[in-house]
Amino acid sequence: MTAQTQPRPLNRQDYKTLGLAALGGALEFYDFIIFVFFAVVIGGLFFPADIPEWLRQFQTFGIFAAGYLARPLGGIIMAHFGDLVGRKRMFTLSIIMMALPTLLIGLLPTYDTLGILAPVLLLALRILQGAAIGGEVPGAWVFVAEHVPAKRVGVACGVLTGGLTAGILLGSLVATAINKGLTPAEVTEWGWRLAFVLGGVFGIVAMYLRRWLHETPVFAELQANKALAAELPLRTVLREHKGSVLISMLLTWLLSAAIVVVILMTPTYLQKAYAVTPADSLQANSLAIIALTIGCVVFGRLCDAIGSARTFLLGSAALAITVTLFYHGLQSGTESMVLNYVLAGFCVGIVGAVPYVMVNAFPAAVRFTGLSFSYNVAYAIFGGLTPMLVTLWMKEDVLAPSHYVTAVCAVGFVVGLALLMLNRRSAQTAASPA
């Protein structure tokens, strides 16, 4: 039995690795999502003033979605080299690919200055951000999972995912501070740029933090034993691990629906559909994200305690109930908005259990590629199209966000049942005589 599989508790080095990885991921994830918190302002600045409001919002979320559509290419390329030359190198490369476009967005001239070139350049920079985050998130999950004991992978993935969601919280807090500290005119004129320039600084800090991380013991062992992938890792994944790819993609659909709709789109939704002020909607969003961060750790810990199958059965049902309560409750007023949003945010924490399943679904030699391909392709499809789909759906039904997320929770519940059946079958096979 190797040190990686011994049932020991987390030690000081494990906590240091988790802390640095989570903090660096939070700063990089801030760079990726800060766009959505200023979607209304950006839409007004980078598109013509004479187009309908719904079309402007649709085009703005289209540019936001382009970052998701670019994730597979960046993720697959970085994962390929991550499986062949090391997790840490790719883990570090993603930072500079994120920081520079974020800084440039903060300095980009608007439509009044550049005309149609302004949204085109914004789109190009957003694509670069997407390529960077495509390698960052899967790389972070693999990195921490391969550093901790096997019996602690769930809580490690939960902590890391909580760190990534803390990046959303940081974005929400920065956006709240800017909206509360400046007048609407000042936010539109120059205040929104502060958030992106600050993101460039965060990227430099994250790059410095990664200097203190070490290559994973699992990859080092593969390298020492010359057991790295003998062929193109993606070819192996697609030939030998189709079932793992399918389960990982379905869970990514659940993750994308919960994060994109409940967390990222809802501040704008509250402002547009219920006339909640930007400051109040972002403040409620910040509290929901705090609950989400806690929920990620709780659901990750549940994977270690009761298994991933039961965790997804429980978490998917809880998310469906709380999301319905939140969005339908808005119909009768916003008095309970914050409490219901916090409850929904906590249950969005089921996303902290998603990487536990994915890192265990693929063997170490192709783990980075298998996880990155499944996660990024699914996120490009579901995460990329969700903002536009829900925006168009809301033209006919103001409760479209609720209906969409609840439907995807049913997918998570079915995956939980499938995992339960697979686990029972594996247990029966192990117990039967050879």
Side-chain angles (χ1 to χ4, degrees), residues 21 79 130 145 147 154 157 198 220 249 271-272 295 322 324 330 368 380 395 407:
H147 266 289
C157 287
L198 188 60
M249 293 180 91
Q271 295 170 38
K272 293 294 183 180
T322 54
T324 300
L330 292 169
F368 198 165
K395 289 182 63 182

Side-chain angles (χ1 to χ4, degrees), residues 46-193:
F46 283 84
F47 294 99
D50 57 353
I51 63 174
E53 178 60 30
W54 72 266
L55 179 59
R56 180 183 294 108
Q57 188 174 350
F58 179 79
Q59 291 176 326
T60 304
F61 277 123
I63 289 181
F64 174 70
Y68 290 104
L69 297 175
R71 290 170 78 147
L73 181 60
I76 291 170
I77 292 174
M78 281 192 271
H80 170 82
F81 289 104
D83 277 331
L84 296 178
V85 303
R87 321 300 201 201
K88 182 185 175 182
R89 292 183 183 182
M90 297 303 106
F91 203 31
T92 304
L93 175 64
S94 64
I95 298 176
I96 192 66
M97 288 178 60
M98 178 63 74
L100 288 179
T102 305
L103 179 62
L104 290 174
I105 289 175
L107 303 176
L108 192 63
T110 63
Y111 186 88
D112 286 344
T113 303
L114 293 182
I116 193 64
L117 186 59
V120 170
L121 290 175
L122 182 63
L123 175 63
L125 293 173
R126 185 66 188 162
I127 288 173
L128 288 176
Q129 284 187 317
I133 206 71
E136 165 66 21
V137 177
W141 284 333
V142 171
F143 193 84
V144 299
E146 291 186 350
H147 266 289
V148 302
K151 295 293 185 181
R152 301 292 184 270
V153 169
V155 71
C157 287
V159 169
L160 193 280
T161 308
L164 296 177
T165 61
I168 305 176
L169 173 62
L170 183 59
S172 182
L173 291 175
V174 168
T176 301
I178 289 174
N179 277 280
K180 283 196 168 184
L182 302 175
T183 66
E186 289 172 332
V187 172
T188 301
E189 184 177 355
W190 57 270
W192 68 274
R193 296 183 183 275

Side-chain angles (χ1 to χ4, degrees), residues 208-229:
Y208 176 78
L209 291 175
R210 295 281 162 88
R211 294 178 57 227
W212 303 102
L213 295 174
H214 304 288
E215 185 56 81
T216 74
V218 171
F219 182 84
E221 186 175 346
L222 288 172
Q223 197 171 40
N225 295 335
K226 301 187 184 303
L228 300 176

Side-chain angles (χ1 to χ4, degrees), residues 287-352:
L287 294 173
I289 297 170
I290 292 173
L292 162 60
T293 303
I294 297 170
C296 285
V297 179
V298 171
F299 283 105
R301 180 68 185 88
L302 279 178
C303 285
D304 290 330
I306 65 175
S308 58
R310 291 180 177 85
T311 299
F312 276 101
L313 291 173
L314 173 66
S316 298
L319 180 58
I321 292 169
T322 54
V323 161
T324 300
L325 178 67
F326 170 56
Y327 287 106
H328 284 255
L330 292 169
Q331 297 285 287
S332 57
T334 58
E335 293 80 7
S336 301
M337 177 185 73
V338 174
L339 175 60
N340 291 341
Y341 199 5
V342 167
L343 290 174
F346 177 83
C347 292
V348 171
I350 186 61
V351 303

